[in-house]
Each structure stands twice: as structure tokens, then as C-alpha cells.
Amino acid sequence: MSAALDRPLRLVPQVRHYDWGTRDFIPRLCGREPGDLPEAELWFGAHPDAPAGVVLESDTEGTRTSRPHRDPIPLNRLIADHRDESLGPGSTGAELSFLTKILSAARPLSIQVHPSRKQAVRGFAAETGTHPPSAVDRNYRDPNHKPELLYALTPFSALSGFRPAAEAARFLSALGLERLRPSIHRLESEGTAAYRPLLEALHRHTGSDFAADAVEAARRASTMGDPNCREAMRWVLRIAADHPDDPLVIAPLFLRLTRLDPGDALFTGPGVPHSYLEGSAVEVMASSDNVLRLGLTSKRVDAEALLDILNYETSDAALMKPQINRHPWGTRFRFQPPVEDFRLDVLHIVDTGEAPLGPDGRARILLALGGGVDVRNAQGASLLRPGHAAVLPAAAKAVTATGQGTLALTTSNQ
């Protein structure tokens, strides 16, 4: 009896109960009642920290009948045992190159940065000589980069990249704090070169009364000035509710505040400081756990290492415009970031035809976001409801979707 990997296979995700998560969005999406714990993320991937389970079917005695295995098989183990069928015989790697999640944030996450692949390789090699793999004081858990694409399912707010230096100087000036005067003058005269000294100065204020003074000043300033400054001040107050002693509560004044409507997508590349503030989304990323944190967290902060890999340049928020293709079966929105690890297709399917779920010969993960969609090929089928997912191994050819609903399809971007 052998596992059949030539058909759609249902995925059982891993739930992550982080304290910043919401209690209701993920359960409601999946059609179940909320529990007692927040549900921050659902992981649909092969990352060893929380691999999804695969519900396998076994061919029976050479016939076309099949029955499910008793227990789901971890996706990373399935790939390791059946690499060619899972990833394709021409695959250059031994692992799935991407991780698909649903993320739902009720309050802000830490300010963090991900390294480039070159930085990750160098950092991982350096730490491997002195730290065991599970050491809590490691910055690099693997030698991979971690670019991210966020596709908003609800209105979503995030901090992403630095504001223009002149704007940051103006917003920081609105606090009226004498201790910020040197940093403000440097922003006005040196531009983006002043961002590292600003962050170093804020780090030195850790443990002082700076955060309390900044919050009080933000409370006064939240009713004055231009609307963008007032909104940034209100986010200072919201962040301070969870991190009242962290000098990085003023981050919304110098990091760009980005607002996404449902259907918008945000790409975060290496070195970009960011924090997801509030909302629910599909998140797709390279399969890595390399996160360096600057603040707004109870987890480890290594400011010196993070400041060395930061991208201090300012630019418009990396909102991605999709390629839009209309078909008899519906509409495909393709988000294609500048990395090979992944791309995201969002398919809005109407009940008028079959949507092809290629490309054949690659592993794909399908996540249902709405409606009901039947995913099948000649070898098997899987009915996907919202919050449910399937993996299409490379050996699963000519897979199509019918019905009426929305699918998020993740695959490599090669």
C-alpha cells in the first residue's frame, strides 16, 4: 500500500495562540466557535516549528479505490520521504520554499526586521559555532531570508519602513520633548543618515522615564496639528497601552503608517523595519524563522545586530499592484514579489467553468477564503470551505477548481 501524491490532499493547519491575536476572526472564518485563547496565526506549510498535517489517501490493492490514513502526516516529513513527488524532480531545494499563514492581530506586534539571504547565511554560520540550534539567544535560526507578502482580508494597519526624514522631524517636534532635540536637528540636517543615531538614542533611554514623558506629550499632541500627525500620535497611545515603558512607543512618528483595504497587498523585503498593528490577512513568506526585534516585545532584543542590517532609506510603502486576468471561470489577481521563493494568486471563481490550478510540476498550497470550491483532478478531489486548505504536490497534474468562492494559491515564483 503506497501513499497517493498525485491528487489534492487536505491540510490540517497548526494554530498559534500568541497573546496579540484575536479571539474570533480565525474561528469564524473556519466555521467554528471561538475558544478561550486568542488565535493569532494558522500555519499551512512545512516549517519544522509547526508543520501542517497532510491527510493522505492510500491506493488499495492496485485498484482506484482509496481510504484515508489514520493520522495526518507532517508536511515536512512527507516532503523529506517523497521529495520528487512533492516538490518535483527538477526542484533545486529539499524543502518547501514558502509558508502560508492566516494572521489576525488585535494589537501591535513587535518592531522587527528580517535579514537578506547573504546576511542570514553569514549570521547563521557565525552563531552555529558558538550557540546550539535551540539557544534562546540566537538571532539566526536558519540560513535563509524571510521576505513577506501580506494580503489584507480586513482593514489592516501596519508600520513599514521609515518616513521621510523631514516629516519624522516635524512629527517628533510636535512632542515638544527636549531630549529629542538633538535627534530632530540631525534629521533636519542629515536626512536618513540620522535614523541610526536616533534609534541608538532611544535604546539608551530604556529603563528611564522617557516613554512615560513621550506618552503624556503624545496625549496632548493627539488633538493638534495636521491629521496625519494626529493619527500617528493616537497610535503612540495605543501601543503604549501594552508597552508603557518602551521608548519605541514613538515609532509611529518616524516609521511610515500604512493602511490596507481588503484586497490590498504589502511586500516587506530585507532590512525593512515593520510592525503589524491591527487586522487580519493572508501572509506568505519564505520558509524561515529569522526575526531580529528592535522593541515593543517581551522577547529578546539585540539592538546592535538589528541596526547593522537595517535599511535606512525611505520609500513609498511597498503596496503591490496585482496582475489582473479575467477568464470565463472568474478573475485571477497575481501578486508577484521580487523573490523566487513565492508568489500569491487570489482566484475569485464563479460557477461558470473550471479554473486551472497550475503550474503543474510544482508544489502548491490552496487556501479557501470564501464560498465553497471543489478542487479535483482525475485521481482525486477535495471540497474546500473557508479556512480550509489543500496541498497540491508536484505530482498532482491537471488540477482544477469549480464552484463559487475565493482561493489563495501559493507557489514558488520561478
Side-chain angles (χ1 to χ4, degrees):
M1 189 180 296
S2 61
L5 304 186
D6 57 355
R7 64 200 63 188
L9 299 170
R10 186 166 63 87
L11 281 179
V12 180
Q14 294 265 16
V15 183
R16 310 298 269 179
H17 298 286
Y18 305 134
D19 59 3
W20 47 261
T22 63
R23 292 184 180 275
D24 60 343
F25 181 84
I26 288 175
R28 299 295 189 202
L29 177 68
C30 298
R32 51 185 170 81
E33 290 298 314
D36 295 331
L37 296 175
E39 296 193 22
E41 294 179 345
L42 279 186
W43 287 32
F44 300 91
H47 194 283
D49 281 358
V54 184
V55 180
L56 288 176
E57 293 180 344
S58 297
D59 290 334
T60 306
E61 300 296 331
T63 71
R64 295 302 300 273
T65 60
S66 62
R67 63 181 180 85
H69 277 280
R70 180 173 298 174
D71 298 312
I73 306 297
L75 181 55
N76 58 335
R77 197 178 99 197
L78 180 73
I79 291 172
D81 291 345
H82 303 276
R83 178 184 175 280
D84 286 355
E85 297 97 319
S86 298
L87 302 181
S91 174
T92 57
E95 300 175 346
L96 194 65
S97 65
F98 56 86
L99 171 62
T100 301
K101 301 179 181 178
I102 295 175
L103 177 150
S104 188
R107 56 187 180 84
L109 283 65
S110 63
I111 298 176
Q112 56 187 254
V113 173
H114 306 304
S116 68
R117 182 176 278 117
K118 182 177 179 180
Q119 292 164 341
V121 168
R122 185 171 61 243
F124 181 75
E127 291 186 346
T128 297
T130 57
H131 297 70
S134 60
V136 295
D137 57 345
R138 285 192 74 129
N139 289 320
Y140 296 93
R141 302 287 176 179
D142 53 69
N144 199 15
H145 65 169
K146 193 186 177 188
E148 297 176 348
L149 174 67
L150 187 93
Y151 174 81
L153 300 176
T154 69
F156 201 98
S157 296
L159 298 176
S160 179
F162 288 100
R163 292 182 183 273
E167 183 179 67
R170 180 164 54 87
F171 285 13
L172 291 169
S173 294
L175 290 175
L177 296 180
E178 189 61 32
R179 279 179 283 187
L180 286 175
R181 287 297 168 196
S183 296
I184 293 168
H185 291 322
R186 293 192 70 168
L187 285 166
E188 292 171 336
S189 61
E190 301 174 21
T192 58
Y195 273 126
R196 177 162 185 156
L198 168 65
L199 293 173
E200 290 171 336
L202 291 176
H203 185 63
R204 290 194 295 272
H205 287 312
T206 301
S208 73
D209 58 357
F210 174 84
D213 291 344
V215 171
E216 185 56 37
R219 186 169 287 110
R220 294 192 299 268
S222 63
T223 60
M224 302 180 292
D226 70 69
N228 290 332
C229 186
R230 292 200 304 269
E231 184 178 22
M233 294 294 177
R234 287 194 288 269
W235 273 110
V236 171
L237 300 179
R238 286 198 56 181
I239 292 171
D242 294 304
H243 304 281
D245 301 319
D246 192 326
L248 266 297
V249 294
I250 67 169
L253 305 182
F254 58 83
L255 295 183
R256 191 184 297 273
L257 181 61
T258 302
R259 292 170 293 275
L260 286 76
D261 292 324
D264 289 343
L266 174 70
F267 176 73
T268 302
V272 177
H274 61 284
S275 170
Y276 298 148
L277 300 175
E278 183 180 57
S280 300
V282 174
E283 187 182 23
V284 184
M285 63 192 67
S287 188
S288 171
D289 196 29
N290 287 326
V291 180
L292 281 76
R293 295 176 177 86
L294 183 62
L296 308 183
T297 181
S298 58
K299 296 182 179 179
R300 180 172 181 268
V301 171
D302 188 337
E304 183 177 354
L306 183 144
L307 294 176
D308 285 341
I309 69 168
L310 263 184
N311 179 356
Y312 293 96
E313 297 303 312
T314 62
S315 62
D316 292 337
L319 292 176
M320 293 202 69
K321 297 295 184 184
Q323 303 171 23
I324 304 175
N325 297 104
R326 305 192 188 282
H327 305 272
W329 52 260
T331 307
R332 180 191 303 268
F333 294 81
R334 174 163 292 172
F335 297 92
Q336 202 152 9
V339 295
E340 293 185 349
D341 307 76
F342 60 85
R343 75 171 187 235
L344 175 68
D345 289 0
V346 178
L347 286 67
H348 297 287
I349 300 168
V350 296
D351 198 11
T352 57
E354 293 185 336
L357 300 177
D360 284 352
R362 292 191 209 168
R364 292 140 286 166
I365 288 179
L366 297 174
L367 171 60
L369 302 176
V373 178
D374 186 49
V375 176
R376 66 171 58 244
N377 66 359
Q379 286 71 41
S382 182
L383 178 63
L384 297 185
R385 300 295 185 187
H388 294 184
V391 60
L392 306 184
K397 305 294 180 63
V399 183
T400 62
T402 57
Q404 189 159 0
T406 301
L407 287 178
L409 184 156
T410 312
T411 189
S412 60
N413 191 28
Q414 299 170 341

